[in-house]
Amino acid sequence: QVDLVESGGGSVQAGGSLRLSCTVSVVGITYNDYCMGWFRRAPGKEREGVASIDRNGETTYATSVKDRFTISRDNTWNTLYLQMNSLKPEDTAMYYCATDSRCWLLRSLRGGVYWGQGTQVTVSA
C-alpha cells in the first residue's frame, strides 16, 4: 500500500517561488524501487506531466517548466520535492505527485499507479 500526501501549495504573484512536497508512506514495498513524478491539471484542461525522477536521480521535465522547476527526492525520508521558480499565471493548477515501479510511465510523464490528493498552486499576474 502506498499513500502520497502533497503540501506546499499556495498563492503567489508572477515571478515568485513555491516548493511543493510529497510525503510517501509505503507498506510492503521499497520506496527506493519506485520512480516518482509531479503532474498538474488546470481548470478545463487535461492533466499534464511536469517532471519525473528515477531511482538513481535522473530527471525529466516538461518543456514548459524546464529551467524553472527542479524535482528532487529524499530517499531517507521518503519525500519528493518540486522547487518552482519564476512562476507564471499559466502554472496555476492543482499539482499531484505520483509514483510507480514502472519507471517508463514516469519518464514519459504519462502518470503512475499511485496518486496523491493534490495541492493547489495559484499564480496571479
Side-chain angles (χ1 to χ4, degrees):
Q1 178 180 344
V2 179
D3 292 316
L4 296 87
V5 179
E6 302 95 336
S7 62
S11 298
V12 296
Q13 290 189 327
S17 298
L18 283 173
R19 188 193 196 204
L20 305 184
S21 299
C22 173
T23 301
V24 184
S25 299
V26 296
V27 176
I29 65 171
T30 302
Y31 168 75
N32 292 358
D33 291 342
Y34 278 56
C35 294
M36 301 201 67
W38 287 98
F39 297 79
R40 66 187 182 186
R41 175 170 283 164
K45 295 188 177 181
E46 293 188 356
R47 186 184 69 201
E48 174 189 20
V50 175
S52 70
I53 186 165
D54 271 1
R55 307 177 187 100
N56 58 4
E58 290 188 27
T59 57
T60 303
Y61 293 95
T63 302
S64 59
V65 306
K66 200 169 184 179
D67 298 328
R68 299 189 298 123
F69 291 10
T70 303
I71 188 171
S72 61
R73 63 189 291 171
D74 184 335
N75 290 338
T76 301
W77 299 104
N78 290 6
T79 305
L80 177 73
Y81 302 100
L82 184 68
Q83 178 65 45
M84 305 186 296
N85 299 328
S86 302
L87 282 162
K88 305 175 181 180
E90 51 263 44
D91 294 319
T92 295
M94 185 72 80
Y95 283 71
Y96 302 89
C97 63
T99 188
D100 203 311
S101 59
R102 297 168 294 176
C103 290
W104 65 270
L105 280 174
L106 278 302
R107 289 192 203 103
S108 60
L109 299 180
R110 295 185 186 186
V113 65
Y114 299 107
W115 292 85
Q117 294 300 307
T119 186
Q120 178 67 38
V121 172
T122 302
V123 185
S124 58

